[in-house]
Amino acid sequence: MFVSVTRLRLKGKRKLPLFIWHTLKSNRQARKSEGLLYSSLNNEGWDTYWTLTIWENKNTMKEYRNKGSHINAMKVSRKIADELEFINWEAGNNPTWDECKKRLYHKYGRKLVK
């Protein structure tokens, strides 16, 4: 299994409708994508959003990531977010949200605050 975790913090409340629009479209694309095993969204307040997707392998994740609604969302994300982080890894089982957050924060040199 291939795990992909992203964290995005919006620049302001006016960016929220555009973010929601692209999230819905990307989520619809993901649900139809070959190789998707699991998908989850999480948030921290109104401005910070997490995604966790688990794929059969790295290639199926890249197929999703590099086309359609998701590639459009990636282009828009640079305009609406002031923080955009990600981490990927091979896994033998589904990670918990706590594990995902710890891994991402460690990658970017920050401490997890609960």
Side-chain angles (χ1 to χ4, degrees):
M1 294 187 303
F2 190 78
V3 178
S4 181
V5 175
T6 63
R7 178 183 173 273
L8 177 145
R9 190 177 82 182
L10 295 173
K11 289 181 180 179
K13 289 184 180 181
R14 294 186 312 174
K15 306 297 183 183
L16 189 57
L18 190 58
F19 169 75
I20 291 170
W21 172 253
H22 283 283
T23 298
L24 291 173
K25 290 181 73 157
S26 294
N27 194 29
R28 186 177 319 126
Q29 177 190 344
R31 288 192 316 263
K32 295 178 181 179
S33 294
E34 187 174 326
L36 179 68
L37 301 174
Y38 178 80
S39 177
S40 180
L41 302 171
N42 201 334
N43 71 297
E44 295 171 359
W46 68 266
D47 66 343
T48 305
Y49 299 88
W50 293 77
T51 64
L52 162 61
T53 53
I54 302 174
W55 301 87
E56 288 178 358
N57 55 56
K58 187 175 185 175
N59 289 336
T60 57
M61 183 277 295
K62 284 184 173 183
E63 277 290 314
Y64 162 74
R65 183 192 69 189
N66 294 336
K67 66 180 182 182
S69 297
H70 188 267
I71 194 73
N72 292 333
M74 286 175 57
K75 291 174 185 174
V76 169
S77 67
R78 293 178 183 99
K79 297 175 185 172
I80 65 172
D82 58 7
E83 290 180 13
L84 185 56
E85 303 168 336
F86 71 94
I87 190 167
N88 303 308
W89 71 92
E90 295 283 344
N93 57 355
N94 290 12
T96 64
W97 269 112
D98 280 344
E99 179 185 352
C100 293
K101 290 178 179 185
K102 285 177 188 175
R103 282 178 178 256
L104 187 129
Y105 281 162
H106 179 74
K107 175 182 177 182
Y108 289 91
R110 292 187 281 121
K111 290 185 179 182
L112 179 62
V113 179
K114 291 189 178 188

